[in-house]
Amino acid sequence: MSESPEITLAEKIKHSAAKKLVSIVFQPEGLRAQVPEGTTVMDAARKVGIDIVAPCGGIGECGKCKVEIFKGKISETSADQFWLTEKERQRGFRLACMARVNQDVVVRIPFATRLFSQKILTTGSGEPVDLDPCVRKFFVQMKPPDVVDQRGDFERLLDTLGLNRSEYSVNVEFLHQLSNRFRKADYSGTAVFVGNQLVDFQPEDTTSKQFAVALDVGTTTIVGTLINLKAGEQVEVMSQMNPQMSFGDDLISRIDYASTHPMGVLELQRRVVRAINDLIAEAAEKADVFREDIYEIVMVGNTAMHHIFLGLPPQFLGQAPFAPTIQSSVRVASKELGLKIYPRGQVYTFPNIAGFVGGDAVSVALATGLTERKGNYLAVDIGTNGEILLAVNGHLLAASAAAGPAFEGARISQGMRGTTGAIERIQIKDNRLVLEVIENVPPIGICGSGLIDAVAELRRVGLIDQTGRMVESTDENANLPDEISRRLIDHSHGKAFVLATEEEAGIGQPILITQKDVRELQLAKGAIAAAVNILLKEAGLSAQDLDEILLAGAFGNYLDRVSARRIGLIPPVPVEKIRFVGNAASGGAQMAVVSKEARRKAEKIAREARHIELSVRPDFQEEFMDAMFFPKIEDSE
Amino acid sequence: MSESPEITLAEKIKHSAAKKLVSIVFQPEGLRAQVPEGTTVMDAARKVGIDIVAPCGGIGECGKCKVEIFKGKISETSADQFWLTEKERQRGFRLACMARVNQDVVVRIPFATRLFSQKILTTGSGEPVDLDPCVRKFFVQMKPPDVVDQRGDFERLLDTLGLNRSEYSVNVEFLHQLSNRFRKADYSGTAVFVGNQLVDFQPEDTTSKQFAVALDVGTTTIVGTLINLKAGEQVEVMSQMNPQMSFGDDLISRIDYASTHPMGVLELQRRVVRAINDLIAEAAEKADVFREDIYEIVMVGNTAMHHIFLGLPPQFLGQAPFAPTIQSSVRVASKELGLKIYPRGQVYTFPNIAGFVGGDAVSVALATGLTERKGNYLAVDIGTNGEILLAVNGHLLAASAAAGPAFEGARISQGMRGTTGAIERIQIKDNRLVLEVIENVPPIGICGSGLIDAVAELRRVGLIDQTGRMVESTDENANLPDEISRRLIDHSHGKAFVLATEEEAGIGQPILITQKDVRELQLAKGAIAAAVNILLKEAGLSAQDLDEILLAGAFGNYLDRVSARRIGLIPPVPVEKIRFVGNAASGGAQMAVVSKEARRKAEKIAREARHIELSVRPDFQEEFMDAMFFPKIEDSE
């Protein structure tokens, strides 16, 4: 058999190579590989499908591929000595690209070292966050029990995943099925954790199917964002009207209804839950995701929306001293609220700051990193209940402004949300009226940004005076070109301005801005501007001291900054200091979906923010009256 | 008005005294007192009804009355410098008897410093534990919200109690009622916490009404102990048969039933839950306690009883490798198991060691402090499923022995539990049979301790030989007095011995020990003795090396040590080394009811114990066969 020396050599090599196989186990998955002695941890990880970050290409020149040697030893390399602290090295950290395996080892790959742990950016404004969601799925292959290893099934799972037994528990409902599930799947499958609780064990590798929803429940609009937790990516964004609108379009009407009707709060809760269920079902269907693969909902909303969502009576929010039932974040089983996702799914609600400054304001502060910057920053979340945040070197002042729903198109005679057919941009150029309509169809109404533009332009050309009154076309001060002045008509609400004639509009009647619409806008912007002014006063600052103004809100990027400043919605600062941050309330919720650290930050923001209650300020009425007027043209340009 | 100088002086004094009042708030209750400047913290505490330990009588000579100054300052005294460490003093600790209040302060009184925090002894054997239960009630008087203090209701409560906001949550069901409850009670009442969760707020001071139950669910017997959590005292102990007995008197029959019948485990669970509910109702009625004032149940039991209690399918416990579903402790809402106590009450189940060594064994180890001693200690919990624990300088070996229910009177022809009418003690003295019957009535049966005595005595006088055979009265070796030998009769099961004649007995028929009864006892004691021998062998010890043998079990103190040794149930050690520790399994559960620290110890014991699986030991069958025989008379005396 061994006449040929080549064969003998080959056999020898084969033999010696076979002898040199060592075993490497990767935690927390418990994935195992047999590799020839001398293989790098990075290559071994690749073999079992774990990709490790290696910006330098795996040549020891970036120091990013830190892993922890859990059991067994791997000697230090000079790259380790260069990139890692002594403490890290002592704790067993090594660079995966340089670490060569020469004995059986167990290696933990931190999330930050994994390729799927990319920094993700959830909003245009927020800081990127590490992907470290509350919901986690692990594909795991366990060694089945035998007579010398009789560990409990649950402990076997935790041990295989390298999770500390004293930190994890198991959902008792699922516990009933656990042993049968493990055995049917031959101890190989996907463990599902929500927080530190094991809630499921699924046959096969289902780690690609893990989703959560960031939910922004506004007084007028609900926005839901479906997020793929493995990739840390938005999958779908959906919005719809809050069906509680039929109980009144402002918070006070809702609170009244809930307080004066038996089961009123439950009725309001059921409405909003049904709408959320519809929204989630629709988003899931569009994204081709099963609702049962959605494991968590993170909810932000103002305090009244928060209370109603949880079924807490909101009545005390409606009367002085407006104390909420709870400020802290709340965790509750999704099924307890009637939300149709994974049956043992969970809901996390953002912490509130005060009775009218809720989790949505916290979420804006979180998404914009407001408390993490040096300088003076003003963030205004424009909505039916507007939140005003002023951060002075990280110290946060917060107030709420009952703007009403004008910005979202409600209470405006031909107002509508910013969807197809809405006039979103208006300019008067060369004495002609130029409209931009969403999706370029004949206009059917006007949305918030269009309304602000319209009023700002009419103000600029002098058709609206400083008090908000639409001038008579015969007014001596009105030196208006014919093209504009003939659009000014009489109307049951006083004057009105024709944005689109019956022929131009798509609804068989003209689209108007009435005197009453202007008054609604004045009330709305006055409430916000008064709140801004009081916060500035409280901090001893003036508009000139602001480093930046962040505009948040559902109609975010559509607003024209010059128009907003011209009508006095925001203080007179150079336009380049005004930045849109989109729906930052939703952005913060999305950060909390993918990052436990973001939740800790949110709790801290809520705990440390100083709330300024405007209703008890003797100067509020005066500020409000002042702020309802429009600035002089020269002051606002 | 001020002609008389005396009056002026008195007024002056009064005036200056009034000026010198300072405020002191005691945490975590939030109780407030106004006291004259210079009052000691101890006297101020007494004023609001908090008694502080003062073994020295409050003269600074014992150092026990440590309190923490939370807000405000109190200067150090020489007593502080003598009794407290520098670190303690820096953290604000002072001795309450010496600390004089000269400004407004907030003082935290640690539980260990309170008079009601006596050390309590729950069993004859265990170490005293600090009263620090999982369930806590605090009477609290909060400052109601106002426009400058708009904190949430929940946060207001936590702040007033000095509890850390980030560590506490609130039961969501109760959250719905929280705001109304606070307001109806004018922000004054009793907050109820189970663990770190607020579950209730009751008007008035209900702190005297806080109870919990320690539950020892044995294969044959259920023992429930009602405990007053404020006093840390047993209020009532009740026991009854486990109604699962009708599904088989050993664990394997129950496991079989649960595994082969659809809904079998639920049926068994329902039975035991109903029995527990009856037992609790009865105990509560006897003690004049409302069931709704019982907030927690701590359950110990063997692993099969644990699984069935929680509704977990026990089938895998019945087949090799006997892996349990979970070893860790489990927390579950009492209502999820159908247990009728306070509606938002909780259940805590002890951690298990292995498939047949459950929380009851952990509880015995906890109650006896087995792992906290130097030396070699054997603990035997005698029950249907016997647990054998061997601690060698704190390292614990554990095994289980399927003794069967003979010790609890089952499978014995006239066996019964140790209640009225049971023969519990038998001696043959001067050739006469002397019986002791519980409550001195004509006997109606024989309980475990009586059975062991009977067999030991019959063995001593030579009526039972070393193999367990009852001798023929005509046997040449039997040199028996007539009074004894004429009690030996023929019976359908072979020989039998008449303990009480038809006339002596209270049931209209004689009370016998049959040959079959002796065989049952041999099987039972053989199982336990074999397990003991294997553990000793595993540890490299012999009986002579044992410092003490602790006998635990429901029939605890009733067993005669000499008889137990004579039949070979326990190893041959001097009788003074054998100590009864009563129902230590229940004792450990009671410790866990009143002490969170005891729970942590239990978890540690379960995690660190080494389980010896007897069924896979090649030497088990031989040890078992050997151990079934009786020792030679001379060896066992």
Side-chain angles (χ1 to χ4, degrees), chain A residues 4-15:
Chain A
S4 155
E6 288 89 337
I7 289 174
T8 313
L9 189 62
E11 276 181 340
K12 267 189 186 163
I13 290 166
K14 198 176 152 196
H15 187 64

Side-chain angles (χ1 to χ4, degrees), chain A residues 534-548:
Chain A
I534 288 183
L535 288 198
L536 285 172
K537 202 196 283 181
E538 189 68 31
L541 299 177
S542 73
Q544 284 66 49
D545 299 319
L546 290 174
D547 291 294
E548 207 168 40

Side-chain angles (χ1 to χ4, degrees), chain B residues 426-429 451-466 521-522 525 529 551 559-573 575 578 627-637:
Chain B
I426 295 165
Q427 273 187 291
I428 295 174
K429 238 185 197 166
L451 178 69
I452 289 170
D453 268 8
V455 172
E457 286 294 88
L458 296 182
R459 171 77 192 116
R460 183 174 64 82
V461 302
L463 211 145
I464 293 175
D465 72 14
Q466 219 185 326
L521 183 66
Q522 284 181 277
K525 73 106 186 174
L551 285 185
L559 195 65
D560 186 82
R561 291 178 290 183
V562 174
S563 295
R565 191 179 59 180
R566 186 178 289 147
I567 66 163
L569 170 60
I570 51 175
V573 299
V575 80
I578 305 171
M628 271 199 299
F629 295 127
F630 293 113
K632 287 188 187 152
I633 296 301
E634 56 272 30
D635 290 349
S636 64
E637 296 307 294

